[in-house]
């Protein structure tokens, strides 16, 4: 197509949108990219930004929304290339379902900077197939965001930060978050109880005392569950650790460290779990209370070494946890 034909085509498409012809966000994104890449905007504006502002007024769509369309569309084209390398087929941006929203792609772009490659491809496929909700994506981002240790891309042209696997702190946090993400994705399978008709996941939970003050104990993850045919709710608390299994660091799972830590947590839940990203041997097991379930995540595979069981030490101050969960639910 010649430059003049390209200009005419852009002008025609823009005119149709201005006159109310429906377009998907993906189609608008593709058109905005063509306006930018061909400098079509230069005929009527001093900058592409000014042109966007004028166009947003003409079609009565917020300027920020148009920038979001453009950004999400450009990311999607990059994502397509990555998924094609993984033999995952995708729709073109022009025919992409509106259910694959710019907001979901924004969250996916953030997760791409912190998730392990194979897990990210699986997640991206779910986004493209619309088999994951925005709420679930936000929950995953909240889980993985601490890996970046608060770093953000502030300023024009600044490259968004990504996980650095050579950084021990980031590597360790990534392991913990990957384990928590696996728990969030399929709790029924992990718990071994497929009779659950209700599962709600909370992250970073502190119980509340009778005065409504947070107890100085934080659970990495709490799962609120109920079995089919029962009214009683169960509360599963999780403590997660990530560390290379050296002889020195292995002491972290032995008294007085983890044993006392888990015993203090037992009073706030009906089931208690301990998860690691390194294997535990039989000598480690003896230092964990018998009622504590054990999970390990190795090579992206989560295994249940032993299930969590009931015990008289569990749930002695369950009201402190239920109050905290209720307040979290009401605030959201």
């Amino acid at each position: 197509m010649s430059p003049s034909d390209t200009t005419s085509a852009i002008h025609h498409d823009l005119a149709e949108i201005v006159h109310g012809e429906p377009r998907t966000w993906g189609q608008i994104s593709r058109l905005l990219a063509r306006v930018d890449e061909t400098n079509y905007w230069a005929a009527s504006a001093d900058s592409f930004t000014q042109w966007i502002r004028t166009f947003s007024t003409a079609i009565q769509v917020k300027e920020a929304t148009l920038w979001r369309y453009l950004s999400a569309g450009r990311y999607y084209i990059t994502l397509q290339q990555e998924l094609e390398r993984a033999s995952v087929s995708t729709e073109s941006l022009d025919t992409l379902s509106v259910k694959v929203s710019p907001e979901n792609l924004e969250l996916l772009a953030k997760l791409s900077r912190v998730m392990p490659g194979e897990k990210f491809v699986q997640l991206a496929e779910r986004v493209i197939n619309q088999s994951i909700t925005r709420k679930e994506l936000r929950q995953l981002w909240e889980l993985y965001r601490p890996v970046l240790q608060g770093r953000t891309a502030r300023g024009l042209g600044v490259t968004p930060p990504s996980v650095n696997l050579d950084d021990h702190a980031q590597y360790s946090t990534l392991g913990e978050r990957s384990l928590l993400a696996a728990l969030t994705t399929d709790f029924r399978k992990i718990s071994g109880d497929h009779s659950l008709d209700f599962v709600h996941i909370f992250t970073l939970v502190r119980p509340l005392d009778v005065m409504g003050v947070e107890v100085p104990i934080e659970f990495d993850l709490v799962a609120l569950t109920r079995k089919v045919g029962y009214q009683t709710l169960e509360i599963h608390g999780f403590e997660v650790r990530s560390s290379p299994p050296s002889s020195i660091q292995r002491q972290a799972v032995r008294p007085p460290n983890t044993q006392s830590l888990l015993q203090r947590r037992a009073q706030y839940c009906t089931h208690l779990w301990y998860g690691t990203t390194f294997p535990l041997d039989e000598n480690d097991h003896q230092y964990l209370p018998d009622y504590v379930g054990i999970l390990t995540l190795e090579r992206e595979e989560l295994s249940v070494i032993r299930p969590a069981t009931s015990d008289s030490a569990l749930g002695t101050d369950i009201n402190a946890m239920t109050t905290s969960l209720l307040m979290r639910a009401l605030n959201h």
Side-chain angles (χ1 to χ4, degrees):
M1 185 179 291
S2 69
S4 61
D5 289 340
T6 298
T7 299
S8 296
I10 293 174
H11 184 78
H12 175 267
D13 288 344
L14 290 172
E16 286 193 334
I17 294 174
V18 169
H19 287 95
E21 287 291 328
R23 292 289 190 279
T24 66
W25 77 262
Q27 292 166 345
I28 294 174
S29 175
R30 176 82 75 179
L31 184 56
L32 294 177
R34 289 170 65 198
V35 168
D36 184 26
E37 292 160 5
T38 63
N39 287 333
Y40 175 92
W41 55 265
S44 59
D46 293 332
S47 66
F48 181 54
T49 298
Q50 186 185 77
W51 185 92
I52 285 281
R53 188 173 299 122
T54 302
F55 184 59
S56 73
T57 301
I59 65 173
Q60 298 183 338
V61 173
K62 291 181 179 179
E63 184 180 344
T65 300
L66 293 180
W67 284 114
R68 172 171 277 173
Y69 288 174
L70 180 60
S71 176
R74 285 174 167 164
Y75 172 69
Y76 181 73
I77 291 172
T78 300
L79 177 66
Q80 275 186 300
Q81 297 168 355
E82 182 175 352
L83 294 180
E84 285 172 6
R85 289 193 292 270
S87 300
V88 176
S89 60
T90 59
E91 295 284 340
S92 71
L93 184 57
D94 287 329
T95 60
L96 186 66
S97 170
V98 293
K99 293 181 180 179
V100 184
S101 68
E103 294 80 5
N104 284 3
L105 288 172
E106 281 183 0
L107 289 167
L108 189 62
K110 292 176 179 178
L111 286 160
S112 72
R113 307 200 302 269
V114 290
M115 286 188 75
E118 184 178 338
K119 290 294 182 183
F120 172 74
V121 168
Q122 294 172 1
L123 177 64
E125 193 169 6
R126 291 184 65 196
V127 171
I128 301 304
N129 294 334
Q130 305 128 56
S131 61
I132 186 169
T133 66
R134 190 175 306 165
K135 179 182 177 181
E136 291 172 318
L137 281 172
R138 284 201 191 102
Q139 191 171 52
L140 279 175
W141 173 236
E142 290 303 315
L143 280 175
Y144 276 104
R145 184 163 59 175
V147 175
L148 297 176
Q149 301 173 315
R151 294 181 301 132
T152 59
R154 297 194 180 276
L156 186 63
V158 176
T159 302
S162 298
V163 63
N164 177 9
L165 297 181
D166 293 327
D167 182 306
H168 175 71
Q170 289 190 37
Y171 180 85
S172 178
T173 306
L174 177 61
E176 293 178 2
R177 299 294 142 171
S178 295
L179 198 160
L180 290 172
L183 288 170
T184 301
T185 302
D186 196 352
F187 179 80
R188 288 177 176 83
K189 179 180 178 181
I190 292 160
S191 66
D193 192 343
H194 295 275
S195 67
L196 301 177
D197 71 343
F198 176 87
V199 176
H200 193 89
I201 302 294
F202 299 85
T203 58
L204 302 178
V205 180
R206 289 178 181 269
L208 297 175
D209 65 20
V210 292
M211 301 299 292
V213 178
E214 289 186 341
V215 174
I217 290 177
E218 185 172 71
F219 286 79
D220 292 310
L221 184 144
V222 171
L224 185 63
T225 70
R226 184 182 63 196
K227 294 183 179 181
V228 175
Y230 288 79
Q231 295 298 317
T232 304
L233 294 173
E234 295 183 335
I235 297 176
H236 294 250
F238 292 83
E239 173 69 16
V240 173
R241 293 291 175 87
S242 177
S243 178
S246 68
S247 59
I248 296 175
Q249 290 158 327
R250 184 171 293 282
Q251 297 305 313
V253 302
R254 296 178 179 173
N257 302 296
T258 299
Q259 186 178 46
S260 59
L261 178 148
L262 292 171
Q263 288 171 340
R264 291 196 303 273
R265 280 160 168 67
Q267 61 188 306
Y268 301 114
C269 50
T270 60
H271 297 78
L272 187 58
W273 298 80
Y274 182 71
T276 74
T277 58
F278 53 91
L280 298 177
D281 59 32
E282 291 297 327
N283 291 327
D284 297 320
H285 293 186
Q286 67 178 308
Y287 294 117
L288 302 176
D290 291 340
Y291 53 81
V292 174
I294 301 175
L295 304 159
T296 62
L297 180 72
E298 294 184 79
R299 298 181 181 87
E300 303 305 320
E301 290 296 324
L302 187 61
S303 302
V304 178
I305 306 304
R306 76 180 187 200
T309 57
S310 301
D311 191 89
S312 59
L314 292 159
T316 57
D317 194 9
I318 200 72
N319 287 341
M321 179 61 82
T322 55
T323 301
S324 178
L325 297 181
L326 177 61
M327 294 303 296
R328 283 278 290 270
L330 290 174
N331 288 335
H332 285 79

